[in-house]
Amino acid sequence: MARSPRASEALAPYRRKRDFKKTPEPHQVGRGSQRGDSFVVQKHHARQLHYDFRLELDGTLKSWAVPKGPCLDPSVKRMAVHVEDHPVSYAGFEGTIPPQQYGAGTVIVWDRGEWQAEGDARRGLAEGKLKFELRGNKLRGHWTLVRMRGKGEKQEPWLLIKEQDAHARPLADYDIVEAEPDSVLSGRDVDHPPEVTYGRKADPAPVPASPRAPAPRKQAAAAPHPDPEASPSMKALHITHAERVIDKTSGVTKGELVAYYDQVGALMLPHLKGRPVALVRAPEGVGGELFFQKHANQNEMQGVKLLDPALDPEHEPLLQIDSVRGLLSAAQMNVLELHTWNATSNAIDRPDRITLDLDPGEGVEWATMQEATLLVKTLLDELALPAFLKTSGGKGMHVVVPIRRHYGWEAVKGFAQALVIHLAETIPDRFVAKSGPRNRVGKIFVDYLRNGFGATTVSAWSARSRPGLGVSVPIEWDELPMLQGAAHWTVRAIGERLAIGNKPWAAMEKSRKGLAAAMKHMGYTPPDAP
């Protein structure tokens, strides 16, 4: 089912009906699943609630609107109106289509997975009888689409029929659209969709232990399953207790978290490689006891390196992750967060960046955080220092300053402290220079302590051990006003951000600057001046 060169032509009706300056729906064709066999069912609350049933074929999603939704009862034939092809990028779309736009209303991904035609799919479509098997989170087994011989209809009427097999159930016993109403991506219902997201397409789900037992709500996408886009390390990994929910707020399971780290591995490795790493382990998940691990005396995680003990004397070896294999091994061992040093292991005595962690106190509104973040940038601009930005995935923001390795830890930490003291003295209604909850009520502490020897900050693309599993994401400065919070992106709603990836930080390496001029400007004398 490889993509046809006519995919763009087939999408012409889809594009004619939409104003992409106003609707968040995807415009591009997008990249289908590796084998071109994904399916998706989207629950769509437009003028009337209905379900959009879509099969990937020849580079587009062949689509039918099913007013009452799929039914597991073979005796029930559900009307399915054949509509225009949709781009394969639509398969992960969740969000709100604005008023006065075509299809205005809310959309969630109700189910997704793989499909396999029985016989020639193109011939079946042309002849009006397509038989196929679904391997989804909710819909499984054998199905048939049959074209009705109506007269005068603007759109072809078809019937969606469940075949008799182990996955069939009488409607009187089980109405799947009533029993399992929510999204398999976000866990949201159709009247409360997430902000617009474009999730990964058509990951098939495992076969339930019993076809008579309904899948748990909000856990439908939780269990591990074969993914054609998975890395070789992911495919070789045995995940224990993959079905265990690690965050009650989102319903994310351990298996999903491991799959997330596989998904972002290529983006995350540039932030991990060559740096000592600290691991936050959460055996009981979010809300349970956390273990912060910086050292180890034996390697229990494949791909996680033990560094030379001489780098941190009188301690067990530091850890370092330079491969996706190591990242996934850590996630399998219940690692939820990954934090990195401000120096590389081959020059551990000379930091190559400063991290300013804006930590809001109780009562600080998000608009105030945004303003404070820009004030920090203003100070750095005055000092002619480069500044790069990322969300923390929690409550605050992280400003990162790439520097040349001219000074040791005490000098760099001292300079960071001087910056914070200056902010607190200059703008005391916004900033404080002392840590501790009592000191920063209604104000923001810019944590300079992240810049000492052995101190760490959560890595870009790391999840956070907080309800909802926010993610730390690099952003452009002009994106800051558009964020809804420091946990704007989450493990389940990383969406199209993956396509942007590390681009906001692309200039970091060539932007490195020495600190001598900035130190002089601040009146700071380092203890180990060169």
Side-chain angles (χ1 to χ4, degrees):
M1 298 183 194
R3 177 174 300 163
S4 164
R6 297 189 298 274
S8 293
E9 180 182 341
L11 292 174
Y14 167 86
R15 289 170 174 154
R16 281 198 301 268
K17 294 179 178 182
R18 291 162 174 83
D19 182 348
F20 294 101
K21 294 180 180 178
K22 297 179 180 178
T23 180
E25 297 167 282
H27 176 267
Q28 300 299 323
V29 174
R31 182 169 62 90
S33 61
Q34 193 171 46
R35 294 182 295 188
D37 57 0
S38 67
F39 88 88
V40 64
V41 181
Q42 281 158 311
K43 191 173 180 179
H44 186 178
H45 199 168
R47 284 180 296 177
Q48 294 181 333
L49 180 66
H50 65 277
Y51 295 75
D52 294 314
F53 183 85
R54 313 189 196 280
L55 302 175
E56 182 182 357
L57 183 66
D58 290 336
T60 66
L61 294 173
K62 309 302 177 187
S63 300
W64 292 260
V66 184
K68 294 185 178 180
C71 180
L72 303 183
D73 189 336
S75 69
V76 177
K77 299 175 177 60
R78 288 284 162 90
M79 176 69 72
V81 179
H82 194 198
V83 298
E84 74 276 9
D85 287 9
H86 281 52
V88 291
S89 55
Y90 207 99
F93 173 70
E94 290 193 327
T96 301
I97 301 171
Q100 276 137 34
Q101 298 304 302
Y102 181 80
T106 53
V107 179
I108 59 171
V109 175
W110 182 79
D111 194 21
R112 65 177 185 169
E114 293 178 345
W115 76 288
Q116 183 174 357
E118 297 179 16
D120 188 321
R122 298 165 190 83
R123 182 175 178 178
L125 276 175
E127 294 181 352
K129 188 172 184 179
L130 178 63
K131 298 175 75 69
F132 52 92
E133 180 183 358
L134 297 180
R135 305 186 193 107
N137 292 287
K138 298 176 181 178
L139 303 181
R140 307 192 71 86
H142 296 275
W143 298 72
T144 301
L145 275 165
V146 180
R147 184 169 57 226
M148 300 171 66
R149 299 187 180 277
K151 294 182 179 180
E153 291 90 347
K154 293 182 179 179
Q155 296 173 307
E156 292 179 346
W158 292 59
L159 295 175
L160 177 64
I161 306 168
K162 178 74 185 76
E163 297 289 341
Q164 189 65 252
D165 60 18
H167 301 281
R169 299 185 67 176
L171 179 59
D173 291 348
Y174 191 68
D175 184 347
I176 191 168
V177 298
E178 291 292 332
E180 303 180 43
D182 298 336
S183 166
V184 297
L185 286 185
S186 62
R188 302 287 189 91
D189 64 62
V190 73
D191 293 321
H192 301 88
E195 292 298 309
V196 173
T197 61
Y198 306 84
R200 295 175 71 187
K201 294 180 291 301
D203 295 333
V207 178
S210 168
R212 298 291 177 184
R217 288 174 63 178
K218 293 195 178 183
Q219 294 185 30
H225 44 263
D227 183 349
E229 298 179 13
S231 70
S233 296
M234 182 67 175
K235 292 176 180 177
L237 183 68
H238 173 63
I239 308 171
T240 59
H241 306 295
E243 74 289 347
R244 178 168 56 85
V245 175
I246 60 172
D247 175 42
K248 294 179 181 178
T249 299
S250 64
V252 169
T253 64
K254 178 182 176 181
E256 281 184 275
L257 182 67
V258 177
Y260 164 78
Y261 277 124
D262 185 51
Q263 186 182 16
V264 301
L267 296 175
M268 195 170 183
L269 283 182
H271 304 278
L272 296 175
K273 274 186 177 181
R275 295 182 185 274
V277 64
L279 310 175
V280 177
R281 302 175 79 154
E284 300 171 1
V286 175
E289 189 173 3
L290 301 178
F291 300 90
F292 195 81
Q293 181 180 3
K294 294 170 61 177
H295 307 85
N297 59 6
Q298 59 183 3
N299 194 348
E300 59 179 341
M301 294 172 281
Q302 294 184 345
V304 178
K305 295 169 60 175
L306 301 185
L307 298 177
D308 184 347
L311 294 177
D312 193 9
E314 301 181 9
H315 291 91
E316 294 171 346
L318 292 166
L319 309 175
Q320 186 169 300
I321 294 177
D322 293 337
S323 66
V324 172
R325 182 186 185 189
L327 178 59
L328 299 186
S329 294
Q332 150 59 19
M333 293 299 293
N334 302 309
V335 170
L336 215 160
E337 298 184 9
L338 297 97
H339 296 231
T340 55
W341 286 45
N342 280 343
T344 57
S345 56
N346 63 358
I348 202 167
D349 60 331
R350 298 271 162 165
D352 65 349
R353 68 187 183 198
I354 296 172
T355 299
L356 300 173
D357 177 5
L358 279 75
D359 190 1
E362 184 180 349
V364 174
E365 296 183 354
W366 173 242
T368 302
M369 269 297 304
Q370 292 169 302
E371 178 192 50
T373 306
L374 291 173
L375 289 171
V376 171
K377 183 179 188 296
T378 299
L379 172 60
L380 295 172
D381 287 345
E382 290 178 359
L383 296 172
L385 291 176
F388 293 82
L389 185 63
K390 72 181 178 76
T391 64
S392 68
K395 295 181 179 180
M397 297 296 293
H398 294 161
V399 178
V400 180
V401 181
I403 60 174
R404 294 175 184 160
R405 295 170 173 155
H406 294 166
Y407 298 94
W409 289 100
E410 288 303 314
V412 172
K413 178 182 174 183
F415 175 67
Q417 183 179 15
L419 294 176
V420 174
I421 292 172
H422 177 78
L423 287 168
E425 291 178 346
T426 306
I427 318 173
D429 60 331
R430 286 285 183 269
F431 299 103
V432 294
K434 292 184 178 180
S435 61
R438 292 183 180 179
N439 295 321
R440 63 174 192 268
V441 174
K443 299 183 181 182
I444 295 163
F445 171 59
V446 182
D447 190 354
Y448 63 88
L449 300 171
R450 303 283 181 181
N451 299 286
F453 180 86
T456 60
T457 305
V458 71
S459 171
W461 305 107
S462 174
R464 302 305 306 272
S465 57
R466 297 171 178 267
L469 292 178
V471 175
S472 180
V473 176
I475 68 169
E476 299 281 4
W477 280 98
D478 60 8
E479 292 182 287
L480 177 60
M482 295 178 280
L483 297 187
Q484 296 181 345
H488 185 90
W489 291 279
T490 67
V491 165
R492 273 197 173 168
I494 199 70
E496 281 198 331
R497 193 66 195 182
L498 299 179
I500 296 173
N502 292 321
K503 291 177 184 176
W505 285 17
M508 179 174 283
E509 193 61 36
K510 66 181 181 183
S511 299
R512 295 190 181 280
K513 295 197 67 174
L515 290 178
M519 288 178 171
K520 183 177 180 181
H521 188 93
M522 291 291 297
Y524 173 76
T525 303
D528 56 351

